[in-house]
Amino acid sequence: LYEHNKVVNAVYYENGYSSDFESGESFKATTSYNNTSEIAFGPAGKQWKTYYGTASTTSPLVGSQSMQIRWYTNASSKLGYIYTNFTIYGVNTITFKAANTNKLNVTVYHSLDDGATWIGGQLFELTTSSTTYTYTIDPNIAQNVRIKFQLTLPATNSAIVDDLLIV
């Protein structure tokens, strides 16, 4: 049994990056979600790393595919996540659409040291309908930032993320 989250339509303004995780951007969809080591998706230099996740055409929130992260009841300590394997300078906010399938939530983090440590974790309690959420980083930050979305378990299990905006 599995549960999942989806991340679709990542949009970063101000610093020139946007993505909707579609195949035209080198996000190759697969049906293998239970990867126990990180896998890179996306174009060279702007790849996202996934753990227990993949780019997927299963129930995308926007477009024809999404980035999906999962949790399996037979591997309950392994929570799926995705993160930017590249930095974005001067990020202030991340706006994204998200939804869940079985009450899983997502926690958003950022890193100022190329992913060595993740800070500022904010839990987003998702609903089954696509909803817009905003994660705020220090508005005066003038550093390179990486972003991470990780599944968070409530009493039960699943979530979806979409339309991401970082300014």
Side-chain angles (χ1 to χ4, degrees):
L1 185 73
Y2 71 88
E3 304 302 334
H4 62 277
N5 282 356
K6 296 175 196 154
V7 178
V8 181
N9 278 21
V11 181
Y12 302 81
Y13 291 135
E14 224 175 275
N15 295 305
Y17 174 77
S18 69
S19 176
D20 59 6
F21 302 114
E22 296 294 332
S23 61
E25 295 178 85
S26 301
F27 286 93
K28 183 179 181 205
T30 73
T31 57
S32 178
Y33 303 93
N34 58 345
N35 48 301
T36 57
S37 60
E38 293 179 347
I39 298 174
F41 289 88
K46 298 292 181 190
Q47 291 185 323
W48 289 71
K49 291 274 186 109
T50 69
Y51 173 77
Y52 273 77
T54 186
S56 174
T57 58
T58 303
S59 305
L61 294 177
V62 175
S64 62
Q65 63 186 48
S66 63
M67 190 64 80
Q68 190 173 117
I69 49 179
R70 292 193 175 193
W71 174 74
Y72 290 83
T73 56
N74 65 352
S76 60
S77 65
K78 298 179 181 193
L79 296 171
Y81 60 80
I82 63 169
Y83 66 90
T84 56
N85 195 36
F86 58 94
T87 58
I88 304 164
Y89 184 80
V91 174
N92 295 323
T93 62
I94 302 164
T95 302
F96 59 95
K97 287 185 181 173
N100 69 35
T101 57
N102 287 314
K103 300 183 182 175
L104 274 181
N105 297 309
V106 68
T107 300
V108 179
Y109 300 91
H110 66 280
S111 175
L112 303 176
D113 58 8
D114 290 328
T117 56
W118 297 98
I119 58 176
Q122 181 177 348
L123 172 70
F124 292 91
E125 294 183 6
L126 308 179
T127 68
T128 56
S129 299
S130 182
T131 304
T132 300
Y133 301 91
T134 300
Y135 174 72
T136 302
I137 300 175
D138 181 344
N140 299 313
I141 197 163
Q143 290 181 257
N144 286 323
V145 176
R146 289 186 186 211
I147 307 302
K148 180 179 184 180
F149 293 85
Q150 181 162 352
L151 284 180
T152 303
L153 296 177
T156 60
N157 54 16
S158 180
I160 303 169
V161 180
D162 198 350
D163 280 344
L164 178 70
L165 169 65
I166 298 177
V167 288

